[in-house]
Amino acid sequence: MGSSALLFQAPGALDLANQRRIWALARQVADWPGIREAASGMSNLLVIFDAQSCDPEALQARLLSTWPTVNDTPEAGRLVELPVIYGGELGDDLGLVADRAGMTPRETAQLHAATDYVVFAPGSSPGFGYLFGLDPRLFTPRKNEPVMRKQTGTIAIGGIQTSIGAAAGPSGWNAIGCLSEPLVPFDPLRDPPSVLYPGDRVRFRIEAIVA
Amino acid sequence: MIEIVQTPPLNSVQDLGRFGARHYGVGTSGAMDDVALATGNLLLGNPAGAAGIEIQMFPFKVKFRSDVAVAITGADCRARLDGTLLPPWWSTNARAGQSLVLQSPVSGARSYLTIAGGVDVPVVLGSRSTCLRIGYGGHRGRALEAGDRLACGTASQARQPHGGIGAEPPEVALAAAAVDGARDVTVLRVVPAAEHDAFPEASRRAFWQEAWIVSAQSNRMGFRLMGTPLHLDQPLEIRSSGIVPGIVQVPPSGQPIIQLRDANSAGGYPKIGVVIDADLWRLGQARPGARLRFVSVTQQQAATAQRETATYLAEVETQARLCRGDALS
């Protein structure tokens, strides 16, 4: 990953046990000498190091030898319930996802809201994060070109992942709904700054389905 | 204290970036041309990472409310202090009441105004950099506007010698790596990334051999490039991961995107390579329409390049200290 970063990708499935080990690895790596940051992704870990004091080959070897020793440690995590309007202007890909799944938009929304998701990693913008637990029937490939999303709080599906959009801007994910109550995802002066953290569980409550 | 008299949108307070807040999903931000910002600071006796003003839209005009030493580095913006033209890559003393005007550069894209003591805005999550995309850090989390007043921190060296101090521009001092036949092509060193080998031979050849054009859809978040589309034989399902400034992603359209300082902090498009840290400043000075070419290097070669930049900055610091006649510490 360039001159001052390595991306460690864990072998195996995208699941909670593997992800807990990623979080545990992140905590260990952060204390190693020469490490500037360690950021969890979806069953992977981005490690940013100081290229003047840290040899990438030695770091790579240490990551590979440490991984088998890292234990699956349970996270405390909170349960956060968020009300959602599925479909409508801010979830205009609900029909597309439903068609691919061979379901009605209503069944699609109900299936999406039936799961308690686990926050696996910080998102592409701060505040919400990537969620794990999407039903395989709802897997939908990313778009060929990103489109502009006007609002934060968009619930979207990208491949085998689902998330809540934390910033307006270009996104290649399929929007299926939006939080019904606006939330400021991230405020560095608030305590805590983010709405959701890795390890939290998220339950979507259906406020409305606009077909 | 300096007052912004005139500014188009998108000029902002930046330092060398925000590290240590990625667990929130917070990216680095920071100066697009980090070498120019650091050089200006070192000319003034500041720490290399003091906050300055990144000017990417012109004309830009400030008025000094107190006597302060300033430096202007980066793209040559024909800066005039009360009408007197200053050389590029130069520092000087400004007096209270004087005005400084920066005009559109003839070449390059971004100029940096640094002040003795640094721009004193609150530190947010370890940095004074503005994240324009989300709206935190810098001056009130936003781009500068006319009427804004910025305080200066405490300077270790308040005055520059009469006539000022200049630095050799990095495009001269660090040119060797960037020259490659065609004079109007910016050569960037790139370490291949995780999905590089998944691209078929034709796409890899196009990536490394063709000149890529910086499109108009290019800003502090990232540059979209134009050229022969790059395609995988079959789509890969990629798990989202943290990304770094300089990463070259290839969305299904086949037109690469170089993610930069204000980019998303994570992503899942295939990554073909990463522009090395030591060359990111060259991108910071590339305008829409500029042509880029990528050359493959190892992480070891990238570390060597980083040391060359560090040596250049150390020489700027030493020369400036000698010119000022600072007591040797």
Side-chain angles (χ1 to χ4, degrees), chain A residues 61-120:
Chain A
R62 190 168 179 192
L63 282 165
L64 292 173
S65 65
T66 305
W67 175 247
T69 72
V70 172
N71 289 320
D72 162 8
T73 17
E75 290 278 315
R78 305 159 302 159
L79 175 64
V80 180
E81 195 173 283
L82 298 170
V84 176
I85 297 170
Y86 282 94
E89 194 188 336
L90 300 170
D92 55 4
D93 296 320
L94 180 63
L96 181 152
V97 174
D99 285 349
R100 278 186 59 94
M103 286 186 269
T104 66
R106 172 164 295 275
E107 288 164 346
T108 304
Q110 284 166 343
L111 182 60
H112 188 266
T115 308
D116 279 358
Y117 296 92
V118 180
V119 181
F120 260 26

Side-chain angles (χ1 to χ4, degrees), chain B residues 194-276:
Chain B
E195 283 78 50
H196 172 269
D197 292 350
F199 282 89
E201 163 75 27
S203 284
R204 276 183 277 154
R205 199 170 48 234
F207 179 72
W208 294 113
Q209 293 185 357
E210 293 186 12
W212 292 89
I213 296 170
V214 177
S215 79
Q217 292 170 284
S218 297
N219 52 38
R220 284 185 48 84
M221 286 179 63
F223 288 5
R224 289 199 191 207
L225 306 183
M226 299 183 296
T228 307
L230 309 178
H231 288 296
L232 293 161
D233 288 332
Q234 8 184 288
L236 295 171
E237 179 52 51
I238 294 170
R239 296 173 188 172
S240 296
S241 74
I243 60 174
V244 293
I247 189 169
V248 187
Q249 296 178 321
V250 183
S253 71
Q255 300 291 294
I257 302 171
I258 310 181
Q259 300 287 357
L260 291 166
R261 305 285 181 185
D262 274 353
N264 289 346
S265 56
Y269 283 131
K271 36 203 175 296
I272 194 165
V274 183
V275 177
I276 68 172

Side-chain angles (χ1 to χ4, degrees), chain A residues 1-89:
Chain A
M1 199 68 143
S3 43
S4 55
L6 286 175
L7 181 63
F8 173 79
Q9 306 193 78
L14 182 64
D15 61 24
L16 186 54
N18 235 354
Q19 192 66 17
R20 283 172 173 162
R21 293 179 64 206
I22 287 285
W23 296 331
L25 180 67
R27 283 190 295 268
Q28 283 194 31
V29 171
D31 292 333
W32 293 356
I35 303 299
R36 300 186 81 175
E37 304 199 69
S40 310
M42 301 295 271
S43 79
N44 56 48
L45 184 69
L46 175 71
V47 181
I48 300 179
F49 56 88
D50 173 8
Q52 298 306 299
S53 70
C54 192
D55 171 37
E57 281 180 19
L59 178 59
Q60 183 176 335
R62 190 168 179 192
L63 282 165
L64 292 173
S65 65
T66 305
W67 175 247
T69 72
V70 172
N71 289 320
D72 162 8
T73 17
E75 290 278 315
R78 305 159 302 159
L79 175 64
V80 180
E81 195 173 283
L82 298 170
V84 176
I85 297 170
Y86 282 94
E89 194 188 336

Side-chain angles (χ1 to χ4, degrees), chain B residues 12-329:
Chain B
S12 60
V13 175
Q14 299 292 342
D15 60 15
L16 292 180
R18 188 169 277 113
F19 292 87
R22 276 182 177 265
H23 54 284
Y24 294 124
V26 164
T28 57
S29 299
M32 289 282 280
D33 182 344
D34 53 337
V35 177
L37 179 79
T39 301
N41 279 321
L42 296 173
L43 284 174
L44 296 167
N46 288 342
I53 301 175
E54 177 177 277
I55 301 125
Q56 51 182 0
M57 300 286 274
F58 301 83
F60 180 78
K61 183 176 179 183
V62 296
K63 191 172 181 112
F64 298 99
R65 294 285 168 191
S66 54
D67 293 358
V68 66
V70 300
I72 296 122
T73 51
D76 177 8
C77 54
R78 297 166 289 153
R80 286 181 184 272
L81 183 63
D82 267 4
T84 304
L85 189 64
L86 298 175
W89 297 88
W90 204 261
S91 61
T92 190
N93 297 307
R95 291 190 311 277
Q98 285 191 307
S99 292
L100 179 74
V101 182
L102 279 58
Q103 300 290 347
S104 285
V106 179
S107 66
R110 292 176 176 85
S111 303
Y112 293 83
L113 170 60
T114 41
I115 56 179
V119 174
D120 188 16
V121 294
V123 174
V124 175
L125 300 171
S127 166
R128 291 186 167 88
S129 287
T130 315
C131 178
L132 293 173
R133 185 170 68 89
I134 301 176
Y136 56 77
H139 182 67
R140 300 180 180 174
R142 61 164 169 78
L144 295 171
E145 295 171 2
D148 284 346
R149 290 183 173 207
L150 300 173
C152 316
T154 309
S156 61
Q157 303 297 333
R159 304 293 293 168
Q160 296 296 86
H162 185 71
I165 308 174
E168 185 183 20
E171 57 260 37
V172 178
L174 299 170
V179 177
D180 194 279
R183 279 181 53 221
D184 59 340
V185 177
T186 300
V187 176
L188 299 164
R189 289 164 288 186
V190 168
V191 179
E195 283 78 50
H196 172 269
D197 292 350
F199 282 89
E201 163 75 27
S203 284
R204 276 183 277 154
R205 199 170 48 234
F207 179 72
W208 294 113
Q209 293 185 357
E210 293 186 12
W212 292 89
I213 296 170
V214 177
S215 79
Q217 292 170 284
S218 297
N219 52 38
R220 284 185 48 84
M221 286 179 63
F223 288 5
R224 289 199 191 207
L225 306 183
M226 299 183 296
T228 307
L230 309 178
H231 288 296
L232 293 161
D233 288 332
Q234 8 184 288
L236 295 171
E237 179 52 51
I238 294 170
R239 296 173 188 172
S240 296
S241 74
I243 60 174
V244 293
I247 189 169
V248 187
Q249 296 178 321
V250 183
S253 71
Q255 300 291 294
I257 302 171
I258 310 181
Q259 300 287 357
L260 291 166
R261 305 285 181 185
D262 274 353
N264 289 346
S265 56
Y269 283 131
K271 36 203 175 296
I272 194 165
V274 183
V275 177
I276 68 172
D277 290 353
D279 280 348
L280 288 178
W281 69 272
R282 299 182 208 273
L283 276 173
Q285 294 299 353
R287 301 179 181 199
R291 300 201 297 160
L292 311 177
R293 204 166 71 70
F294 302 119
V295 294
S296 179
V297 294
T298 63
Q299 281 191 316
Q300 281 70 25
Q301 288 169 310
T304 305
Q306 195 71 42
R307 277 193 294 277
E308 286 164 5
T309 306
T311 303
Y312 162 76
L313 292 174
E315 280 169 11
V316 170
E317 184 177 21
T318 305
Q319 289 298 325
R321 193 186 291 147
L322 289 172
C323 289
R324 273 194 311 266
D326 297 358
L328 290 173
S329 50

